[in-house]
Amino acid sequence: MTRRLPRKDAVIVGLGWTGSIMALELARSGLDVVAIERGPWRDTATDFNIGTAPDELRYAVRHDIFLRTRQETLTMRNNSSQTALPIRRWGSFLPGNGVGGAGSHWNGQTWRFLPDDFRLRSHMVERYGEGIMPEGHQIQDWPMSYDELEPFYDKFEYVAGISGKAGNIKGQVQPGGNPFEGARERDYPTPPMKQGYSQELFTKAAKEMGLHPFPRPSANLSAAYTNPYGCSMAPCTYCGFCERFGCSNYSKSSPQTCVLPALVREPNFEARTECEVTKVQLSRDGKTATGVVYVDANGEEWEQPADLVLLCAYGLFNVRLMLLSGIGKPYDASTGEGVVGRNYAYQTGSGATAFFDNVNFNPFAAAGSLGAALDDYNSDNFDHGPHGFVGGASITNAYTNGRPIQYRPTPRGTPNWGSAWKKAVRETYQRVTNVGAQGSVMSYRANYLDLDPTYKDQLGRPLMRMTFDFQPNEIKMANWMAERCEAIAKAMGAKTTQINRLNTPWNVVPYQSTHNTGGTVAGTDPKTSVLNRYLQSWDVPNVFVMGASTFPQNAGYNPTGTVGALTYWALDAIQKKYLKSPGALVQQ
Amino acid sequence: MHTDDRSAMRAKFAPPTEAPRHSGVSRRSLLATAALLITTSGATAKVVTKVLPWRPNEAYPVTPVVPGGWLFFTADEAAVVDAIVDRLIPADELGPGAKESGVTTFIDRQLTGPYGGHDWLYMTGPFPANPLPTQGLQSPLTPRQQYRQGLAALAAYCKANFGGRGFVDLSADEKDKLLAGMEKGDIKFEGFASRMLFNAVHANTMEGFFADPIYGGNKDMAGWKLIGFPGVRYDFRDVIDNPNKPYTLPPVSLQGQPAWGVR
Ligand SMILES: Cc1cc2nc3c(=O)[nH]c(=O)nc-3n(C[C@H](O)[C@H](O)[C@H](O)COP(=O)(O)OP(=O)(O)OC[C@H]3O[C@@H](n4cnc5c(N)ncnc54)[C@H](O)[C@@H]3O)c2cc1C
Ligand code: SF4
């Protein structure tokens, strides 16, 4: 029997980056807010303690703080002629669970997308003509511009304390920053991180090649910092236990370090943890959400009525909740009709590994976002005319960790065990570095999310099914990028290099990135988008959706800077317009 | 949740034939995964309002493995695993190998914990016979079952093909050839994929040799010393300030070491 709880003004599903920002701001707007989070409470002092945090086996290999597939997973296949099977052990991507979400165990590489990324379709067609667009694509412009988002990027960066060097302040290019970035109002709140020896070589080589390297913007803080919410952070110690771990040092921006300490003080905020939202409850006519239904740790079901429903459950799970709740028309790949689940996209990874003689790279002195990057080959910063592909990649030389269960590269052809392996591991560890290209993935008719016909979760609800593969456009792009990376690696003085091309078909086993985008895309046309420009559902206007599921296609960067900016952008519309006059903010 | 709930979990996830003798599952790890799996009476949601719900020692520490005896393996199985890991990472002029570093103890203890039963994984069928290689893990066998059945199949294979000798009796060269064949999948065991056994032991050996010694392997931080990984020192600002300099301090583990005092 479902028991009904007293009504709240707003219910938030998930307490990661987007959910905690929403909760704090809405509580401060005077709303009675409840956040429902499926995992446990987690904060730095109690859960990411110095005596337990740096444990590679527990966190990085056994996935102690990630979502466990037994609780929720999805099925996958490379194309719609195959039978999808459950992802039983996470590999390619690693969803979060618990307060802080994936924001507890992310790396902290915090980017803004480029102005062209927001009007990719229009821009490419204007510059190159329709002919450049890849077969089967569904590339579309974003419903908001870079300039509109700029103040909100700024807001997120100042909440997170991002360490970096501006490349363009109010249209003036700044030495040492990224000259390709969109104009920003002011510099980052904290200076860039210090770089290691390998990045010195990369920066020098890239400059000599006429490229424009700069320190990667980072949520691993270079200096002590107190954010606008009054939350304090400490300088990063380059401990190398960053991605897949909580930071015990209050140095990595996360919901725990940047938002929760302020949030829990709000008297009209309440968090209910270890409760899984199973669906958004709709009114009889399906046009209004009346609240959410959730199941607590005892398996008991509750209804939480609320006037405003915010899906902040991470991109993939937002899509599943929309599908399970019947909000918006599901995408049908055979007809191309419907929108929920449409335009799922991911990211490419390619590059080159470089082996040196007589160096000490000390790869263990690392941080999630320590690295030097360049954007010369990202988005449309270079002439795509001769290459025949759309999209680009950020290119980076970085040390995120030297933790030896997972990081002990050896040259190709080295045996996997025995004395020869042992010798190679020992010789290579200090002398290897990588130049990597993280590339965009466009949206295609063939790549999408829907509900699986066979596999069910603990509660008997269908798992979500992912149908995805890299398309020829992405393969061409990523492999061209790999050659650029190898050229830089050679110029750095590597004794030998190995090129890493994009491996297809897409495979769930090796970690690639938790940069899953699309599925509840924002746009200007309800026929090709689930949400309007304020991330409000076209069909059920008291539902808003936060996260990378709103991206029409993916860019050559990590998503969270943009996810954070979009959250503040939507909040601004909710606070200034929606709360004054609830209803659709954009007329269809 | 208290001990009773833990035994309930064990009962639920571990078939009696392979019941772990110690669970390695702590309160917090259950909460992280099992919201929907456990039925207990009492409180429903954890409600947080107005203050951080801080409780001392919430960040449950790992219980250090105490070497000695076997909790999952039989003595015979343990001897074979010892012999395999000894070939995978042999002791040589570069230092101790997997066997000396306690890797078999590491594997034994891992198999008795949640990892050994795939307790945290989605293990609902159907399990199709021919999954795509891109679909990853699709076997219904838990690591405990992989070791138990795989080692039995290896024993039968050796008996039939090496004149009644067991794996431990083979020469180093014979062992290496057999392992290489298992790695490629060329060796056919009766009723078990030889490659699955190889992959399980290989992956767990690398984990045990390089994981924190708190888990029973990597004794004296031999794995870390081999490559020059300084362990959990947690502050390398001086390394960043001194690029391209060799790092000379000895490694430190989660349990601390006399080396803590050196810096
Ligand atoms: C290993 C790793 C490294 C990463 N590195 C980077 C990086 O360097 N740079 C970058 O930009 N991004 C990175 N990311 C991605 C980044 O973490 C995400 O973009 C970001 O956390 C998304 O925020 P979110 O609020 O949308 O989702 P999350 O932070 O994932 O929060 C969602 C929350 O909702 C909860 N939830 C889900 N479903 C339900 C439900 N049904 N009921 C109740 N609660 C629910 C989840 O438990 C979770 O706490 C990384 C991610 C991972 C996993
Ligand atoms: S590298 Fe820095 S930010 Fe990352 S966990 Fe260590 S101290 Fe924290």
Side-chain angles (χ1 to χ4, degrees):
Chain A
M1 200 197 72
T2 310
R3 274 174 289 175
R4 200 186 175 125
L5 293 156
R7 194 196 64 84
K8 295 272 183 182
D9 295 326
V11 61
I12 295 178
V13 184
L15 209 46
W17 264 125
T18 60
S20 49
I21 288 171
M22 273 286 164
L24 177 58
E25 293 283 339
L26 292 179
R28 288 190 173 178
S29 299
L31 267 56
D32 206 3
V33 177
V34 60
I36 300 179
E37 164 57 51
R38 98 181 129 197
W41 184 268
R42 284 204 180 100
D43 58 59
T44 308
T46 52
D47 292 277
F48 309 134
N49 181 294
I50 187 96
T52 55
D55 184 339
E56 184 184 14
L57 183 75
R58 172 175 172 180
Y59 295 108
V61 182
R62 297 283 183 258
H63 301 172
D64 193 285
I65 58 174
F66 302 150
L67 176 64
R68 296 172 186 181
T69 59
R70 185 155 233 169
Q71 187 163 355
E72 179 166 1
T73 186
L74 41 150
T75 65
M76 76 67 70
R77 57 183 179 175
N78 292 120
N79 62 61
S80 56
S81 72
Q82 301 166 338
T83 304
L85 296 180
I87 300 177
R88 298 181 187 278
R89 177 162 52 211
W90 297 121
S92 187
F93 46 86
L94 302 167
N97 190 41
V99 169
S104 311
H105 50 72
W106 71 320
N107 262 324
Q109 303 160 17
T110 313
W111 295 95
R112 296 178 172 202
F113 289 3
L114 293 161
D116 289 345
D117 289 327
F118 291 91
R119 51 187 309 277
L120 190 71
R121 191 192 149 82
S122 303
H123 173 89
M124 293 306 281
V125 171
E126 282 161 19
R127 183 166 174 190
Y128 304 100
E130 272 293 342
I132 196 158
M133 301 309 261
E135 208 182 309
H137 82 91
Q138 293 182 159
I139 301 171
Q140 56 201 66
D141 290 352
W142 294 55
M144 70 290 283
S145 68
Y146 171 81
D147 289 341
E148 284 176 308
L149 273 191
E150 200 287 328
F152 305 102
Y153 269 121
D154 180 88
K155 208 157 179 172
F156 181 69
E157 285 164 1
Y158 273 73
V159 165
I162 303 304
S163 297
K165 175 83 188 88
N168 179 344
I169 298 179
K170 297 182 172 141
Q172 297 295 102
V173 169
Q174 306 291 313
N178 176 10
F180 297 100
E181 72 176 2
R184 51 172 72 238
E185 195 52 35
R186 52 177 175 166
D187 208 337
Y188 290 94
T190 50
M193 298 187 85
K194 284 186 186 163
Q195 303 292 325
Y197 181 56
S198 172
Q199 288 77 44
E200 251 176 55
L201 299 179
F202 172 87
T203 302
K204 188 164 164 284
K207 276 190 187 148
E208 281 167 10
M209 293 168 79
L211 303 169
H212 301 85
F214 56 92
R216 177 162 67 185
S218 169
N220 319 130
L221 266 62
S222 63
Y225 177 71
T226 301
N227 79 4
Y229 295 143
C231 304
S232 293
M233 298 182 67
C236 168
T237 60
Y238 302 83
C239 80
F241 284 85
C242 211
E243 181 189 54
R244 301 177 178 221
F245 302 81
C247 173
S248 74
N249 213 41
Y250 293 88
S251 305
K252 180 167 73 176
S253 324
S254 66
Q256 316 20 40
T257 47
C258 302
V259 188
L260 296 180
L263 177 59
V264 289
R265 292 199 177 93
E266 292 299 321
N268 42 347
F269 168 74
E270 180 182 305
R272 258 173 251 155
T273 60
E274 294 157 50
C275 291
E276 173 147 349
V277 173
T278 52
K279 69 170 179 192
V280 179
Q281 189 91 314
L282 298 181
S283 61
R284 211 161 277 153
D285 66 2
K287 294 201 170 113
T288 314
T290 56
V292 301
V293 176
Y294 70 87
V295 176
D296 70 20
N298 295 334
E300 283 174 48
E301 199 171 66
W302 301 85
E303 184 187 339
Q304 175 60 67
D307 292 346
L308 186 58
V309 175
L310 294 147
L311 296 187
C312 301
Y314 184 74
L316 291 171
F317 307 120
N318 289 338
V319 182
R320 182 164 180 242
L321 280 170
M322 296 284 273
L323 290 168
L324 291 172
S325 308
I327 303 177
K329 191 173 170 199
Y331 175 67
D332 179 341
S334 61
T335 61
E337 280 169 22
V339 283
V340 183
R342 186 178 183 273
N343 283 17
Y344 171 73
Y346 194 44
Q347 245 159 11
T348 64
S350 59
T353 310
F355 300 88
F356 285 72
D357 256 346
N358 302 322
V359 291
N360 296 283
F361 284 139
N362 294 324
F364 47 84
S369 192
L370 168 67
L374 51 89
D375 253 354
D376 299 69
Y377 304 116
N378 208 348
S379 196
D380 196 37
N381 295 343
F382 59 106
D383 184 3
H384 282 68
H387 308 304
F389 61 75
V390 174
S394 52
I395 288 181
T396 308
N397 173 251
Y399 276 112
T400 60
N401 83 88
R403 303 179 305 260
I405 300 177
Q406 299 192 309
Y407 180 86
R408 34 182 170 74
T410 48
R412 236 166 245 163
T414 305
N416 288 322
W417 48 279
S419 278
W421 164 83
K422 207 172 165 187
K423 189 159 170 273
V425 175
R426 180 192 179 89
E427 280 176 1
T428 311
Y429 186 74
Q430 277 290 2
R431 301 189 292 113
V432 65
T433 191
N434 184 59
V435 180
Q438 170 171 248
S440 57
V441 167
M442 296 302 135
S443 44
Y444 294 91
R445 186 164 171 165
N447 291 337
Y448 61 95
L449 305 166
D450 65 358
L451 293 176
D452 190 89
T454 308
Y455 291 93
K456 307 250 184 309
D457 69 10
Q458 303 277 329
L459 299 168
R461 304 172 309 157
L463 296 184
M464 191 160 69
R465 174 169 67 179
M466 175 182 282
T467 305
F468 178 79
D469 208 351
F470 296 114
Q471 303 295 314
N473 179 72
E474 277 58 40
I475 297 167
K476 209 169 182 182
M477 182 275 291
N479 291 335
W480 188 77
M481 293 298 164
E483 285 164 23
R484 306 282 79 70
C485 293
E486 191 179 37
I488 299 169
K490 285 194 169 131
M492 287 168 70
K495 190 178 72 169
T496 52
T497 57
Q498 253 171 223
I499 193 156
N500 308 319
R501 296 184 196 279
L502 181 69
N503 288 319
T504 51
W506 170 65
N507 182 324
V508 292
V509 179
Y511 184 74
Q512 290 152 66
S513 83
T514 312
H515 305 164
N516 316 84
T517 66
T520 70
V521 164
T524 48
D525 181 353
K527 284 204 192 63
T528 54
S529 59
V530 175
L531 311 172
N532 67 25
R533 71 195 301 257
Y534 301 111
L535 314 185
Q536 179 183 36
S537 160
W538 288 112
D539 298 87
V540 183
N542 64 336
V543 173
F544 287 77
V545 182
M546 301 300 125
S549 53
T550 60
F551 297 3
Q553 57 271 329
N554 211 349
Y557 294 119
N558 311 60
T560 310
T562 302
V563 165
L566 287 171
T567 305
Y568 281 110
W569 154 262
L571 253 169
D572 187 64
I574 294 171
Q575 287 168 326
K576 294 199 178 126
K577 298 182 192 157
Y578 182 86
L579 292 179
K580 292 198 178 105
S581 158
L585 294 173
V586 179
Q587 295 313 316
Q588 297 193 28
Chain B
M1 268 202 308
H2 302 288
T3 338
D4 303 354
D5 306 320
R6 286 215 289 273
S7 15
M9 277 286 281
R10 287 208 299 270
K12 185 152 182 167
F13 293 131
T17 49
E18 49 167 270
R21 266 156 272 180
H22 92 131
S23 85
V25 183
S26 73
R27 182 184 164 273
R28 291 290 276 181
S29 70
L30 286 179
L31 293 183
T33 183
L36 302 174
L37 310 176
I38 45 177
T39 327
T40 50
S41 56
T44 54
K46 302 280 181 299
V47 178
V48 177
T49 180
K50 298 194 186 78
V51 285
L52 289 167
W54 192 82
R55 276 169 300 207
N57 305 321
E58 269 290 80
Y60 73 92
V62 171
T63 311
V65 164
V66 181
W70 308 109
L71 299 184
F72 174 75
F73 290 137
T74 64
D76 285 349
E77 286 170 339
V80 175
V81 174
D82 244 355
I84 298 175
V85 307
D86 183 49
R87 297 314 303 159
L88 297 182
I89 309 182
D92 57 17
E93 72 281 1
L94 298 180
K99 184 176 161 184
E100 300 72 35
S101 307
V103 163
T104 307
T105 299
F106 166 88
I107 299 174
D108 181 71
R109 301 308 195 264
Q110 286 294 305
L111 289 174
T112 58
Y115 166 76
H118 277 342
D119 292 0
W120 298 351
L121 304 190
Y122 184 86
M123 293 297 283
T124 308
F127 290 89
N130 295 305
L132 299 168
T134 59
Q135 290 174 314
L137 173 73
Q138 292 299 339
S139 164
L141 297 182
T142 65
R144 287 197 283 269
Q145 292 165 330
Q146 291 174 29
Y147 273 87
R148 187 118 297 151
Q149 296 175 25
L151 291 170
L154 172 65
Y157 180 89
C158 289
K159 208 167 166 194
N161 290 277
F162 294 101
R165 286 181 298 155
F167 186 85
V168 293
D169 308 318
L170 305 183
S171 70
D173 200 43
E174 285 170 320
K175 285 177 187 155
D176 286 357
K177 281 210 183 85
L178 179 50
L179 289 170
M182 290 165 60
E183 182 179 22
K184 287 204 200 80
D186 295 346
I187 300 276
K188 304 279 179 241
F189 293 170
E190 191 65 39
F192 196 90
S194 68
R195 193 178 200 167
M196 180 180 252
L197 178 65
F198 179 88
N199 287 344
V201 185
H202 183 267
N204 295 150
T205 300
M206 294 299 162
E207 288 165 5
F209 193 64
F210 291 111
D212 196 281
I214 201 165
Y215 293 101
N218 193 10
K219 186 162 175 265
D220 300 326
M221 296 174 283
W224 293 353
K225 285 175 187 158
L226 174 72
I227 57 171
F229 177 67
V232 302
R233 287 178 172 273
Y234 223 78
D235 188 352
F236 294 122
R237 281 173 290 187
D238 54 343
V239 178
I240 291 285
D241 286 339
N242 293 286
N244 202 18
K245 296 278 178 314
Y247 189 85
T248 52
L249 292 179
V252 163
S253 81
L254 278 171
Q255 287 164 288
Q257 286 292 324
W260 271 125
V262 171
R263 178 158 272 208

